[in-house]
Every structure is written in C-alpha cells, then in structure tokens.
Amino acid sequence: MQSSYKVNSGQMAKAAALKGLGFAILPLHACELEINNGSLVKINCNREPEDLVLYALYSGRKYLQVKVKAFLEHLQEAIVQLDIRSKEGRKEVRKEGT
C-alpha cells in the first residue's frame, strides 16, 4: 500500500486519522475510546504490523545509576504488559471475525 503521509509517532498517526487524512495502525488500547464513540472505525486487514523496535541508550554498564536501572526495569515490564494486552486484543478480534 502506498502512502504520501508517514509519521513515526502513534499519537501523530492517530491525530491524522482523526482528521481524516488516512488510516493508522494503532494498538487497540490507544484508540478504544475513539472506536467506541465512532470517531475511528476499526478495520481488520488480516495482517500483523511489523514489530516495533525500541532502543534505550545510556552511558556504560559498570556504574549504572539507580534511577536509570529503575527506569529500564519499568520500561521492560511495561512492554511485557503491553504485549500481553495486545495478544489478548488480537484474540478478541479473531473471535469477532468468526
């Protein structure tokens, strides 16, 4: 699919979709309210989006600051929780389609 409008931010993609500029591939939890109130329409395209790759850059591992370590651990746990929710959402989509 060709597009002349591309963004690297889920918030910008959602804002563009809300303005009618096209569609956005978003996690269900990020647009549930808008789907429920009719601002956005859920489209099942029978394809999974590419994995999102995140990098956390920090200076050295030898003397990692406590706050940096705590943030990285929190980030890892949040990503695990989002992945669990995402997989649950995909199961629900498949159930609806049957």
Side-chain angles (χ1 to χ4, degrees), residues 42-91:
K42 183 177 175 181
I43 300 171
N44 293 323
C45 61
N46 299 326
R47 292 185 65 185
E48 294 290 324
E50 292 181 20
D51 288 339
L52 175 65
V53 178
L54 296 175
Y55 296 97
L57 303 176
Y58 52 92
S59 177
R61 289 180 178 244
K62 191 172 182 181
Y63 301 109
L64 191 61
Q65 292 184 10
V66 174
K67 62 184 175 182
V68 173
K69 184 177 179 184
F71 172 72
L72 293 174
E73 289 171 356
H74 172 76
L75 186 61
Q76 288 175 329
E77 180 60 29
I79 290 170
V80 167
Q81 291 301 317
L82 284 174
D83 188 48
I84 290 169
R85 287 188 204 146
S86 175
K87 287 178 182 174
E88 289 172 355
R90 282 185 238 148
K91 288 177 187 171

Side-chain angles (χ1 to χ4, degrees), residues 2-13:
Q2 295 286 333
S3 173
S4 60
Y5 186 79
K6 293 182 181 182
V7 295
N8 62 357
S9 160
Q11 292 176 339
M12 291 298 294

